Amino acid sequence: MDLGLADRTVLVTGGSSGVGLATVRALLDEGANVATCGRDAERLAKAAAHLGAGSDRLFHSVCDVRDSDAVGDFVERAADRFGGRLDALVNNAGQSRMKPLDETTAEDWRDELELKFAGVLNPLAAARGYLRASDAAAIVNVNAVLAKQPETRLITTSAARAGILNLSKSLATELAKDGIRVNSVCLGLIDTGQWTRRHAATAGDLGHEEWQAELAADRGVALGRLGRAEEVAYAIVSLLSPRASYITGTSIDVCGGVGRGIL
């Protein structure tokens, strides 16, 4: 099926690895123009080289989403690169903070909330005017099932994720008048670099697939394995498509059936 993304311009934050990189690749495969950013210059350059940094449909730049001026500059340069047009935004930048309550400092709380909320609000502020001019504007906020199923060992991240899910719902209502759809994709356990590193550090003689199966069983993942970044990218790209024009204010869980509730 043609998703109608050819020649449209999409901005993806946190595109140097994992789900962000898979999303950039999927969008390029659909014929879209893609602008992406990341904080680590070396990792971003390697990712861009792997994708084809010389492509006329790829623009990349180092940018910290917590810095509103840097985000504004990145968006302006990206729009200029692709003819003053921006049709969609994927807010993917972020990370998890593995700390229980008793080990969490006030600074941890400030840092986590700033990263999660700035990662949505700064790109939105910079891109909103361009999105308003599009005939099929869409935003996808990449979130986690932690937003609805919190874990005490990830207490700051769980709380921040819940706030972003709430914010996304509000933005869907507020931005509807501008013709901008807003949806969320909530991740479960996805086999990205952090899990590869954890396997190497803790698995002993267990092979990667066997280790994944044990981890999935421990976490209650119905499909019995970790997800793949490209499986998440499919959900993101589908929600960005003009074919999803009547979908806004919702969230899709890409989590292999893990769940401790029905919401």
Side-chain angles (χ1 to χ4, degrees):
M1 177 184 292
D2 180 4
L3 295 179
L5 290 168
D7 300 322
R8 294 188 178 275
T9 299
V10 184
L11 191 151
V12 180
T13 65
S16 60
S17 63
V19 168
L21 179 57
T23 300
V24 171
R25 182 181 294 109
L27 287 165
L28 291 173
D29 288 346
E30 289 293 327
N33 303 313
V34 183
T36 192
C37 65
R39 287 186 289 175
D40 188 314
E42 182 178 355
R43 187 161 62 173
L44 184 64
K46 287 181 179 178
H50 181 69
L51 290 167
S55 170
D56 290 339
R57 293 191 291 108
L58 178 64
F59 171 78
H60 64 93
S61 178
V62 175
C63 179
D64 187 334
V65 293
R66 295 171 295 187
D67 184 336
S68 60
D69 290 337
V71 173
D73 180 66
F74 167 62
V75 171
E76 290 301 317
R77 289 188 292 125
D80 183 65
R81 169 71 179 272
F82 297 118
R85 176 177 180 176
L86 180 60
D87 299 287
L89 170 63
V90 179
N91 290 314
N92 173 69
Q95 60 188 14
S96 295
R97 188 180 298 267
M98 184 73 76
K99 282 187 177 182
L101 178 63
D102 290 343
E103 297 176 15
T104 302
T105 66
E107 184 177 2
D108 289 331
W109 282 104
R110 286 193 297 270
D111 287 349
E112 187 70 3
L113 292 169
E114 179 186 18
L115 175 60
K116 296 299 186 293
F117 281 87
V120 171
L121 295 173
N122 284 342
L124 170 61
R128 186 174 179 180
Y130 293 106
L131 293 172
R132 190 185 291 120
S134 174
D135 63 347
I139 297 172
V140 171
N141 293 325
V142 179
N143 208 323
V145 292
L146 291 172
K148 295 176 279 187
Q149 302 175 22
E151 293 188 21
T152 56
R153 56 190 160 185
L154 290 159
I155 192 166
T156 57
T157 298
S158 295
R161 292 291 191 189
I164 292 301
L165 192 62
N166 186 292
L167 174 64
S168 298
K169 190 75 170 181
S170 297
L171 290 177
T173 300
E174 287 292 314
L175 299 180
K177 62 181 180 293
D178 292 335
I180 302 171
R181 297 183 297 108
V182 183
N183 292 292
S184 299
V185 171
C186 294
L187 316 186
L189 299 179
I190 306 301
D191 190 16
T192 56
Q194 65 173 334
W195 290 110
T196 301
R197 291 189 293 272
R198 190 168 297 180
H199 168 256
T202 65
D205 294 332
L206 283 179
H208 192 58
E209 289 188 7
E210 186 179 2
W211 178 80
Q212 273 200 28
E214 289 194 0
L215 177 62
D218 178 66
R219 299 294 183 89
V221 180
L223 292 183
R225 63 172 176 85
L226 273 63
R228 299 185 297 274
E230 58 267 27
E231 293 175 309
V232 183
Y234 173 78
I236 294 169
V237 172
S238 296
L239 287 171
L240 294 177
S241 169
R243 292 184 177 274
S245 56
Y246 202 54
I247 302 174
T248 195
T250 194
S251 65
I252 294 177
D253 292 352
V254 184
C255 61
V258 68
R260 295 186 296 275
I262 60 173
L263 297 180

